[in-house]
Amino acid sequence: MSKKIGVAIVGSTGYGGVELIRLLASHPLAEVTSVISSSSAGTPITEGYPHLTGIHEELLDDVDAATIKSKAEVVFLATPPAVASKLAPELLEAGLKVIDLSGDFRLKDPALYEAWYKKPAADEQYLKQAVFGLAEIYGDNVKGASFISNPGCYPTATLLGLIPAVKEGFIDPSTIIIDAKSGVSGAGRGASLGTHYSELNENFKAYKVNQHQHIPEIEMVLSDAAGAPVVTTFTTHLVPMTRGIMSTMYASVKGERSQSDFIELYKSFYAGRPFVRIRPEGQWPATKEVWGSNYCDIGFALDKRTNRITIVSVIDNLVKGAAGQAIQNLNLMMGWEETLGLQFVPVYP
Amino acid sequence: MSKKIGVAIVGSTGYGGVELIRLLASHPLAEVTSVISSSSAGTPITEGYPHLTGIHEELLDDVDAATIKSKAEVVFLATPPAVASKLAPELLEAGLKVIDLSGDFRLKDPALYEAWYKKPAADEQYLKQAVFGLAEIYGDNVKGASFISNPGCYPTATLLGLIPAVKEGFIDPSTIIIDAKSGVSGAGRGASLGTHYSELNENFKAYKVNQHQHIPEIEMVLSDAAGAPVVTTFTTHLVPMTRGIMSTMYASVKGERSQSDFIELYKSFYAGRPFVRIRPEGQWPATKEVWGSNYCDIGFALDKRTNRITIVSVIDNLVKGAAGQAIQNLNLMMGWEETLGLQFVPVYP
Amino acid sequence: MSKKIGVAIVGSTGYGGVELIRLLASHPLAEVTSVISSSSAGTPITEGYPHLTGIHEELLDDVDAATIKSKAEVVFLATPPAVASKLAPELLEAGLKVIDLSGDFRLKDPALYEAWYKKPAADEQYLKQAVFGLAEIYGDNVKGASFISNPGCYPTATLLGLIPAVKEGFIDPSTIIIDAKSGVSGAGRGASLGTHYSELNENFKAYKVNQHQHIPEIEMVLSDAAGAPVVTTFTTHLVPMTRGIMSTMYASVKGERSQSDFIELYKSFYAGRPFVRIRPEGQWPATKEVWGSNYCDIGFALDKRTNRITIVSVIDNLVKGAAGQAIQNLNLMMGWEETLGLQFVPVYP
Amino acid sequence: MSKKIGVAIVGSTGYGGVELIRLLASHPLAEVTSVISSSSAGTPITEGYPHLTGIHEELLDDVDAATIKSKAEVVFLATPPAVASKLAPELLEAGLKVIDLSGDFRLKDPALYEAWYKKPAADEQYLKQAVFGLAEIYGDNVKGASFISNPGCYPTATLLGLIPAVKEGFIDPSTIIIDAKSGVSGAGRGASLGTHYSELNENFKAYKVNQHQHIPEIEMVLSDAAGAPVVTTFTTHLVPMTRGIMSTMYASVKGERSQSDFIELYKSFYAGRPFVRIRPEGQWPATKEVWGSNYCDIGFALDKRTNRITIVSVIDNLVKGAAGQAIQNLNLMMGWEETLGLQFVPVYP
């Protein structure tokens, strides 16, 4: 049997952490050797997650860099805001590779972080070091890096849907409007009125309109793609379902383009990237069609009457929007095949 | 006991028809005297709808103008496309008042109907006669009329959310983008893969992008409000829930306006109209907050960075988007208090 | 206009309280004159319940017997366990009529309360005074009473489904097994992992098997009906929906009975009771068929192979299982028509 | 790389067929070489199932024994009732191994099949040949067999929950009552009012009470375990979710047994069977805890007051209740490790 590398997960009792455990269980070259939760250390993870009975029976570890180092080579951080900013430097100093799933190292400008997250930013030295792991776009930077900042869920669906058109000048970036919708698991496992079943079931709601902390992340990357500052309108909604994100995006088309021009551009842009699937004309992806998998599916509708393009992009927020892309980054970082441990067929129905 | 007028419902076995029965059960001046279904005539309605046990036990009638005339003064048509276009003239000739919930008489231009509905349009004489019953906008025309065309569900949520801003020049009509979401009951009771539980549950999907037959209806009324042709971008999505529509609408603001300017404009525009509720700053309505009721709730977010306004409008698609507004039109038509039989508190949770 | 009596609701920010507000809004002889919440006094109820915008704008009152007395004649208590036990005596002393929706006064034996609720029981004097308001069974006792203990949600569905058969000796009470299922709103508005959307959606779970505090309530009343002690097996499950309870009940039939014997027995037992609907042979009620209404629907299946009867009983847990039955008791208590303010057609779909 | 055997799936456009495709995609020793649908032959499976884009792009084949033989060694039949009864003999004659997921070969008594399925039974010779593949119970018979009849979904959850107690005389088989609940995917992909989203969402309903065709299958196997005829009471309910079955089972305990006696019995009975997980005292499994996986989880509650045991058993109806168990049978049949291709962690949340 091939030797697997050890992987530690900090924040194992959140949905991101537990999804990493699920996905890594079938990874051929990595295995989870430590699941860590500062709040529940010493108890078995099956207490809070009985679905792991017989699969992961180990007790939860406490956070300690030396102990982690003795068990693992890579650490995933699936922690709340402003935790990784303190933890990552320590783990990196200890010689560990770090993949951070939180938002702490995504924004390169600390002032921007503090304005949108209302928390102290991470040290600039580490902000610079962290590679933004939007795998299909910055995968080359990820290769061989030791510190990755995994993108947010909304930005992943949105950016994969917009970047080719922005980069190739097919759309006017100043006209971009993003109407995003997410399942409830994106809000995490914390209990509040905002995650209460009776409040969300048979309900559709908008929240944080123009105020979501993923806005600067989206604009940072779009500006990079456009080569000039991009400002967007971005609305988030909560859908009565557990998993799935759809970004419906609108922009004015530059010049004369047909719908199939867009399809061809995206197919060629994402050629060789197995996790982005471009849909044929007249077909728009539904969130269930990527459920449980690492795919991002994209479809188009061009309206000749207004010369606007509508781009529909879907992901599973816990997979491609979090744990799955983090493993994709692990694979790239280690120089492995990008798809290792990620070839799940979407669960349908 | 006060004398009630008799009301007949054609298409009683659809969701629109059965919702009329529910709402009219508490109407003080009208009562359902005939429930009609050409496909199920002679059987009790409780066969298909056991929830009406002990409430409506009458057998379903067949469609016959003379019989209807003997039982009722007003007829609601809750029929599939291209049925009312044939039926309404006959009922009107028989001296009945008609409120049509289908799309057959909404578009004044028969060519437009045929282009979007792919069916033969109604006779132009009757198209002209039919008053478009968006109650808060055209209520004065409804008063005393004998033939009302009840608006579509998406247009109701959308138009109530846009008209004040368009009419008063607060927004640039050429920039309007409408991202609409609906519960599944909007698709009716017909069984298909498109209404199959296992296909829709835990799923969010876009459909008929730029192609929905409600687009010309929305543009017809917006053009009337703007005093010039308006073309929009309109996307529809299916939400895994039964009832509720949200229209999230985007437009560029004309001149310098604050968020509270919008709130004040809408409050004053809808003053005295009990079914439109304008939300305070920072609060956006959720579909559950109008569930089962005739309310349309509207909230705003102005983004200073882009000078775009985001308008969020919600209704219950079967009430304000269909049966409820039809009864509101009945009330206006008969010269009654607008709210009769409609003072339901939203069902929450 | 007829003079309405004033009604106060203590615990207005819970689901029971807010459902009382919804139902009483259309009551012809009672009106809510004070909504009370010790935790949120001084704030508007619309802050937590925006669906009441324009309907109930009053600020929440604090709990004070004298103030309540100045505003109301009857008080509904929709409070957590062990609150009403202290509050009700004070309100009764102040000359108010009290309808308690909590479990504090249902069990006549204080030791039983303390064993199952793990809280101190109410004073025995008041336990004796409180009339158990299972309206179809003890309605005569309710008439003219001033202190009612409203039954629990599971007991209401279960007891209405079992009492006729137990009382008339159609079934052997020692064989009764009750498999009950409830929507999530039964757990109240408190946020916890047990009410978290992502944990409950697409999930069906058993809880408190053999341990639910409604067991002694069910057995107390069944023993009364049987004229001898009855012990039952009772399991509760959580269904991924907001409203609705189904009790599926099993018992061995005594003697030779046909399915229609059961139907006839129940029809005759509940003759003149408008809120119990007995289904014809081969039809079992679904929870949605009573949704939002005060009905309890009951259906039967007799298995000749085992000579066991299966009885299916459904209610809306927040209406017939709480606020609706409380208003039914108000009506009986005041000598009014039992159905006042309760003639809602179930909301379907 | 090890050579994989070819596998064909007949009925690939149903949920059972498409789940086989999902699960077999990660099987190390088998691969799907033909997906067959008589109704859609010649079209790509991605037309009806876009989630398979880029994964399974082959055109659907027609049913033809010779062609199948040229492509595959084993055939899975995921066909409607009374199709496999005709098809299986032909495929077996052609020298193929057959695993039938339909009910056509489960009941050994043709008269019983015809009474419950209302269709002509299969040829008795083949009924005798078909091994009933309840893997944990009849696994030894499956080894080396060439024709397997895969158990029904309800029987799998129910029988795994009852057999140890029946076989070891812990419970009185004449007292068994089974209250079963299923997600909607069990009804297949056919569109009807019974699978309509708006009819099932926010609804819980009983159906086919005492009449479900899985009853004789359950009783056949329980009788085998008891060594004497067993007759049961069996009720089925529909839960508003896509996947998952729970059987809540009740029986009188024989003699003096504690709850931990049951737990120990089951642990020892299923020792070495990786897909059955016995829960500790006070913990009952929820359907989500096995979602997407091949596990069957079982928990217990013993009520000393009535000396009845309540047994709660859960599975994913499309995995352990259909496609997963079929692959488990493939593994056993071929002499492979039982868990090959089935080590999915349940998807949570």
Side-chain angles (χ1 to χ4, degrees):
Chain A
M1 195 181 203
S2 73
K3 179 80 180 59
K4 295 184 179 184
I5 68 155
V7 159
I9 302 167
V10 183
S12 297
T13 56
Y15 289 150
V18 88
E19 185 73 351
L20 281 166
I21 294 174
R22 174 174 86 88
L23 297 174
L24 287 166
S26 66
H27 199 289
L29 297 181
E31 72 184 317
V32 178
T33 49
S34 176
V35 290
I36 295 162
S37 164
S38 55
S39 59
S40 310
T43 66
I45 192 167
T46 49
E47 203 165 89
Y49 287 107
H51 76 283
L52 293 175
T53 302
I55 298 169
H56 238 279
E57 298 277 5
E58 291 82 359
L59 300 189
L60 288 159
D61 288 329
D62 209 339
V63 192
D64 177 73
T67 317
I68 297 175
K69 181 69 178 136
S70 73
K71 294 186 173 186
E73 193 167 324
V74 180
V75 187
F76 290 95
L77 301 179
T79 47
V83 172
S85 57
K86 297 202 189 75
L87 202 52
E90 194 188 343
L91 298 168
L92 288 165
E93 293 317 310
L96 287 153
K97 292 186 175 71
V98 173
I99 299 175
D100 177 30
L101 284 80
S102 85
D104 283 7
F105 293 94
R106 293 179 196 149
L107 302 178
K108 295 309 167 195
D109 176 353
L112 215 49
Y113 180 90
E114 297 186 352
W116 289 86
Y117 284 80
K118 322 283 182 205
K119 304 250 181 192
D123 189 290
E124 269 201 271
Q125 167 195 354
Y126 292 99
L127 287 178
K128 270 181 205 140
Q129 191 189 332
V131 174
F132 186 74
L134 186 60
E136 281 75 14
I137 307 300
Y138 300 111
D140 286 346
N141 304 342
V142 172
K143 283 174 194 163
S146 58
F147 183 23
I148 308 297
S149 172
N150 210 53
C153 50
Y154 284 122
T156 296
T158 301
L159 291 169
L160 292 178
L162 286 173
I163 285 174
V166 166
K167 211 160 195 164
E168 301 304 316
F170 275 42
I171 59 174
D172 174 356
S174 75
T175 64
I176 294 173
I177 289 174
I178 304 153
D179 191 283
K181 302 92 176 171
S182 175
V184 182
S185 63
R189 208 187 200 198
S192 72
L193 209 55
T195 57
H196 190 295
Y197 185 89
S198 304
E199 302 286 318
L200 299 181
N201 179 43
E202 190 67 9
N203 195 5
F204 185 85
K205 59 193 293 191
Y207 71 104
K208 289 192 186 176
V209 183
N210 296 333
Q211 296 162 13
H212 199 285
Q213 70 275 12
H214 285 169
I215 293 176
E217 183 180 340
I218 290 168
E219 295 179 348
M220 177 184 77
V221 180
L222 285 184
S223 299
D224 184 36
V230 174
V231 178
T232 65
T233 290
F234 180 74
T235 306
T236 42
H237 304 79
L238 217 48
V239 186
M241 62 185 190
T242 302
R243 287 171 180 243
I245 278 182
M246 179 182 287
S247 268
T248 312
M249 297 165 282
Y250 304 91
S252 295
V253 174
K254 286 198 342 210
E256 278 294 312
R257 312 280 182 188
S258 70
Q259 203 158 284
S260 65
D261 289 342
F262 276 87
I263 292 175
E264 287 320 307
L265 166 64
Y266 277 65
K267 282 200 166 164
S268 115
F269 190 94
Y270 290 118
R273 307 314 302 249
F275 293 123
V276 178
R277 304 189 294 190
I278 305 305
R279 295 300 182 81
E281 283 213 51
Q283 198 184 89
W284 306 286
T287 60
K288 204 185 187 78
E289 291 161 8
V290 297
W291 208 100
S293 82
N294 201 49
Y295 290 105
C296 174
D297 284 14
I298 304 173
F300 305 88
L302 181 68
D303 188 10
K304 280 296 174 197
R305 307 184 321 141
T306 58
N307 206 30
R308 284 196 197 107
I309 185 86
T310 304
I311 305 175
V312 176
S313 173
V314 299
I315 59 169
D316 181 321
N317 56 305
L318 292 179
V319 189
K320 183 62 177 167
Q325 184 157 243
I327 293 169
Q328 193 179 353
N329 279 319
L330 170 70
N331 292 338
L332 291 170
M333 184 191 239
M334 304 297 293
W336 300 334
E337 178 68 36
E338 186 174 18
T339 57
L340 286 190
L342 291 172
Q343 286 171 308
F344 291 93
V345 178
V347 189
Y348 195 95
Chain B
M1 196 182 202
S2 75
K3 180 80 181 58
K4 296 184 178 183
I5 68 155
V7 159
I9 301 168
V10 183
S12 298
T13 57
Y15 289 150
V18 88
E19 185 73 350
L20 281 165
I21 294 174
R22 174 174 85 89
L23 297 173
L24 287 166
S26 66
H27 198 288
L29 297 181
E31 71 184 318
V32 177
T33 50
S34 177
V35 289
I36 295 161
S37 163
S38 55
S39 60
S40 310
T43 66
I45 192 168
T46 50
E47 204 166 88
Y49 288 108
H51 77 283
L52 292 175
T53 303
I55 298 169
H56 238 278
E57 299 277 5
E58 291 82 358
L59 299 189
L60 288 159
D61 288 329
D62 209 341
V63 192
D64 177 74
T67 317
I68 296 173
K69 180 70 179 134
S70 74
K71 293 186 172 185
E73 194 168 321
V74 181
V75 187
F76 290 95
L77 300 179
T79 47
V83 172
S85 59
K86 298 202 188 73
L87 201 52
E90 194 189 341
L91 298 168
L92 289 164
E93 294 315 312
L96 286 152
K97 293 186 174 69
V98 173
I99 299 175
D100 177 30
L101 282 79
S102 85
D104 284 7
F105 293 95
R106 293 180 195 148
L107 302 177
K108 295 309 166 192
D109 176 353
L112 215 49
Y113 180 90
E114 298 186 351
W116 289 86
Y117 284 80
K118 323 283 183 206
K119 305 251 180 188
D123 189 289
E124 269 200 272
Q125 167 195 352
Y126 292 98
L127 287 178
K128 269 181 204 139
Q129 192 190 332
V131 175
F132 185 74
L134 186 60
E136 280 76 12
I137 308 299
Y138 300 111
D140 285 347
N141 303 342
V142 173
K143 284 174 193 164
S146 59
F147 183 23
I148 308 297
S149 173
N150 211 53
C153 50
Y154 284 122
T156 296
T158 301
L159 292 168
L160 293 178
L162 285 173
I163 285 174
V166 167
K167 212 161 195 164
E168 300 304 318
F170 275 42
I171 58 174
D172 174 356
S174 74
T175 63
I176 294 173
I177 289 174
I178 303 154
D179 191 281
K181 302 92 176 172
S182 176
V184 182
S185 64
R189 208 187 201 197
S192 74
L193 209 55
T195 56
H196 190 295
Y197 185 89
S198 304
E199 303 285 319
L200 299 180
N201 179 44
E202 191 66 9
N203 195 4
F204 185 85
K205 61 193 290 192
Y207 71 104
K208 288 192 187 177
V209 183
N210 296 333
Q211 297 163 13
H212 199 285
Q213 70 276 10
H214 286 167
I215 293 176
E217 184 180 340
I218 290 168
E219 294 179 348
M220 176 184 78
V221 180
L222 285 184
S223 301
D224 184 35
V230 174
V231 178
T232 65
T233 290
F234 180 75
T235 306
T236 42
H237 304 81
L238 217 47
V239 187
M241 63 185 190
T242 303
R243 288 170 179 242
I245 279 181
M246 179 182 287
S247 268
T248 312
M249 297 165 281
Y250 303 91
S252 295
V253 175
K254 287 200 339 211
E256 279 293 313
R257 310 281 183 188
S258 69
Q259 204 158 284
S260 65
D261 288 343
F262 277 86
I263 292 176
E264 287 319 306
L265 165 65
Y266 278 65
K267 282 199 167 163
S268 114
F269 190 94
Y270 291 118
R273 307 315 301 251
F275 293 123
V276 178
R277 303 189 295 189
I278 306 306
R279 293 301 181 84
E281 283 214 52
Q283 198 184 90
W284 306 286
T287 61
K288 205 184 187 77
E289 291 162 7
V290 298
W291 209 99
S293 82
N294 201 49
Y295 292 105
C296 174
D297 284 13
I298 303 172
F300 304 89
L302 181 68
D303 186 10
K304 280 295 172 197
R305 306 184 323 142
T306 59
N307 207 29
R308 284 196 198 107
I309 184 88
T310 303
I311 304 175
V312 176
S313 172
V314 300
I315 60 168
D316 181 321
N317 57 304
L318 293 178
V319 189
K320 183 62 179 168
Q325 184 156 242
I327 293 168
Q328 193 180 353
N329 279 319
L330 169 70
N331 292 339
L332 292 169
M333 182 191 239
M334 303 298 292
W336 300 334
E337 177 69 35
E338 186 175 15
T339 58
L340 285 189
L342 291 172
Q343 287 171 309
F344 290 94
V345 178
V347 189
Y348 195 94
Chain C
M1 197 182 202
S2 75
K3 180 81 180 55
K4 296 183 179 183
I5 68 155
V7 160
I9 302 168
V10 183
S12 297
T13 56
Y15 289 152
V18 88
E19 185 73 350
L20 281 166
I21 294 174
R22 174 174 84 91
L23 298 173
L24 287 166
S26 66
H27 199 290
L29 298 181
E31 70 183 319
V32 177
T33 49
S34 176
V35 290
I36 295 162
S37 165
S38 55
S39 60
S40 310
T43 66
I45 192 169
T46 49
E47 203 166 89
Y49 288 108
H51 76 283
L52 293 175
T53 301
I55 298 169
H56 238 279
E57 299 276 6
E58 292 82 1
L59 300 189
L60 287 159
D61 288 330
D62 208 340
V63 193
D64 177 73
T67 317
I68 297 174
K69 181 66 179 140
S70 74
K71 293 186 172 184
E73 194 168 323
V74 181
V75 186
F76 290 95
L77 300 179
T79 47
V83 171
S85 57
K86 298 202 188 75
L87 201 53
E90 194 189 342
L91 298 167
L92 289 165
E93 293 316 312
L96 286 152
K97 292 187 176 70
V98 173
I99 299 176
D100 177 29
L101 282 80
S102 85
D104 284 5
F105 294 93
R106 294 179 195 148
L107 303 178
K108 296 308 166 194
D109 177 352
L112 215 50
Y113 179 90
E114 297 185 351
W116 289 85
Y117 283 80
K118 323 282 185 208
K119 303 251 180 189
D123 189 289
E124 269 200 271
Q125 169 195 351
Y126 291 99
L127 287 178
K128 268 181 207 140
Q129 192 190 330
V131 175
F132 185 75
L134 186 60
E136 281 75 13
I137 307 301
Y138 301 111
D140 286 347
N141 303 342
V142 172
K143 284 173 193 162
S146 59
F147 184 22
I148 308 297
S149 172
N150 210 53
C153 50
Y154 284 122
T156 295
T158 301
L159 292 168
L160 293 178
L162 285 172
I163 285 173
V166 166
K167 210 161 197 164
E168 299 305 317
F170 275 42
I171 58 174
D172 175 355
S174 75
T175 63
I176 294 172
I177 288 173
I178 303 153
D179 191 281
K181 300 93 176 170
S182 176
V184 181
S185 63
R189 209 187 200 197
S192 73
L193 209 54
T195 56
H196 190 294
Y197 184 89
S198 303
E199 303 285 318
L200 299 180
N201 179 43
E202 190 67 8
N203 194 6
F204 185 84
K205 60 192 291 190
Y207 71 104
K208 288 192 186 178
V209 183
N210 296 333
Q211 296 163 14
H212 199 284
Q213 70 276 11
H214 286 167
I215 293 176
E217 183 179 339
I218 290 168
E219 296 179 347
M220 177 183 77
V221 179
L222 285 184
S223 300
D224 184 35
V230 174
V231 178
T232 65
T233 290
F234 180 74
T235 305
T236 41
H237 303 79
L238 216 47
V239 186
M241 62 185 189
T242 303
R243 289 171 178 240
I245 278 180
M246 179 182 286
S247 268
T248 312
M249 296 165 282
Y250 304 92
S252 294
V253 174
K254 285 192 350 202
E256 279 293 313
R257 310 282 182 188
S258 70
Q259 203 157 285
S260 66
D261 288 343
F262 276 86
I263 292 174
E264 287 318 307
L265 167 64
Y266 277 65
K267 281 201 166 162
S268 115
F269 190 94
Y270 290 118
R273 307 315 302 249
F275 293 123
V276 178
R277 304 189 294 189
I278 306 305
R279 294 300 181 82
E281 282 213 50
Q283 196 184 91
W284 307 286
T287 60
K288 205 184 186 77
E289 291 160 9
V290 298
W291 207 100
S293 82
N294 201 48
Y295 291 104
C296 174
D297 283 15
I298 303 172
F300 304 89
L302 182 68
D303 187 10
K304 279 296 175 198
R305 307 184 322 142
T306 58
N307 207 29
R308 284 195 197 107
I309 185 85
T310 303
I311 305 175
V312 176
S313 173
V314 299
I315 60 168
D316 181 321
N317 57 305
L318 292 179
V319 188
K320 184 60 179 168
Q325 185 158 241
I327 293 169
Q328 194 179 353
N329 279 319
L330 169 71
N331 292 339
L332 291 170
M333 184 191 240
M334 304 298 293
W336 300 334
E337 178 66 39
E338 186 174 16
T339 56
L340 285 190
L342 292 171
Q343 286 172 308
F344 290 94
V345 178
V347 188
Y348 195 96
Chain D
M1 195 179 205
S2 75
K3 177 85 178 56
K4 297 184 179 184
I5 69 156
V7 160
I9 302 168
V10 183
S12 297
T13 56
Y15 289 150
V18 89
E19 185 73 350
L20 281 165
I21 294 174
R22 174 174 84 90
L23 297 173
L24 287 165
S26 65
H27 199 289
L29 298 180
E31 71 184 318
V32 177
T33 49
S34 177
V35 290
I36 295 161
S37 164
S38 54
S39 60
S40 309
T43 66
I45 191 168
T46 48
E47 202 165 89
Y49 288 108
H51 76 283
L52 293 175
T53 301
I55 298 169
H56 239 277
E57 298 276 6
E58 292 81 359
L59 299 190
L60 288 159
D61 288 329
D62 209 341
V63 193
D64 177 71
T67 316
I68 296 174
K69 182 67 178 133
S70 74
K71 293 186 174 186
E73 194 169 324
V74 181
V75 187
F76 290 94
L77 301 178
T79 46
V83 172
S85 57
K86 299 205 187 70
L87 201 53
E90 194 188 340
L91 298 168
L92 288 165
E93 293 316 311
L96 286 153
K97 293 188 175 68
V98 173
I99 299 176
D100 176 29
L101 283 79
S102 86
D104 284 6
F105 293 94
R106 294 180 194 148
L107 302 177
K108 296 306 166 196
D109 177 352
L112 214 51
Y113 180 90
E114 297 185 351
W116 289 86
Y117 282 80
K118 322 284 183 205
K119 304 252 180 189
D123 189 290
E124 269 200 273
Q125 168 196 350
Y126 292 99
L127 287 179
K128 270 181 205 138
Q129 192 190 330
V131 175
F132 185 76
L134 186 60
E136 281 75 14
I137 308 300
Y138 300 112
D140 286 347
N141 303 343
V142 172
K143 285 174 192 162
S146 59
F147 184 21
I148 308 297
S149 173
N150 209 54
C153 50
Y154 284 123
T156 295
T158 301
L159 292 168
L160 292 179
L162 286 172
I163 284 173
V166 166
K167 211 161 196 164
E168 300 304 317
F170 274 41
I171 58 173
D172 175 356
S174 75
T175 63
I176 293 172
I177 289 173
I178 302 153
D179 192 282
K181 302 92 176 169
S182 176
V184 181
S185 64
R189 208 187 202 198
S192 73
L193 209 54
T195 55
H196 191 295
Y197 185 89
S198 304
E199 302 286 317
L200 299 180
N201 178 44
E202 190 66 8
N203 195 6
F204 185 86
K205 59 192 293 191
Y207 71 103
K208 288 193 186 177
V209 184
N210 297 333
Q211 296 163 15
H212 199 284
Q213 69 276 11
H214 286 168
I215 293 177
E217 183 180 340
I218 290 168
E219 295 180 347
M220 177 184 76
V221 179
L222 285 184
S223 300
D224 184 35
V230 174
V231 178
T232 64
T233 290
F234 180 74
T235 306
T236 41
H237 303 80
L238 216 48
V239 186
M241 62 185 189
T242 302
R243 289 171 178 242
I245 279 182
M246 180 183 285
S247 268
T248 312
M249 297 166 282
Y250 303 90
S252 295
V253 174
K254 286 200 337 211
E256 278 294 312
R257 310 280 182 189
S258 70
Q259 203 157 284
S260 64
D261 289 343
F262 276 87
I263 292 175
E264 287 318 307
L265 167 64
Y266 277 65
K267 281 200 167 165
S268 114
F269 190 95
Y270 290 118
R273 307 314 303 248
F275 293 123
V276 179
R277 302 189 296 189
I278 306 305
R279 293 301 181 84
E281 283 214 52
Q283 197 184 91
W284 306 286
T287 60
K288 203 184 189 78
E289 291 161 8
V290 296
W291 207 99
S293 82
N294 201 49
Y295 291 104
C296 174
D297 284 14
I298 304 173
F300 304 89
L302 181 68
D303 188 9
K304 280 296 173 196
R305 306 184 323 143
T306 58
N307 206 28
R308 284 194 197 108
I309 185 86
T310 303
I311 304 176
V312 176
S313 172
V314 299
I315 59 169
D316 181 321
N317 57 304
L318 292 179
V319 189
K320 184 62 179 167
Q325 185 157 240
I327 292 169
Q328 194 180 354
N329 279 319
L330 169 70
N331 291 339
L332 291 170
M333 184 189 238
M334 304 299 291
W336 300 334
E337 177 68 36
E338 186 174 16
T339 56
L340 286 190
L342 292 171
Q343 287 172 307
F344 290 94
V345 178
V347 189
Y348 195 96

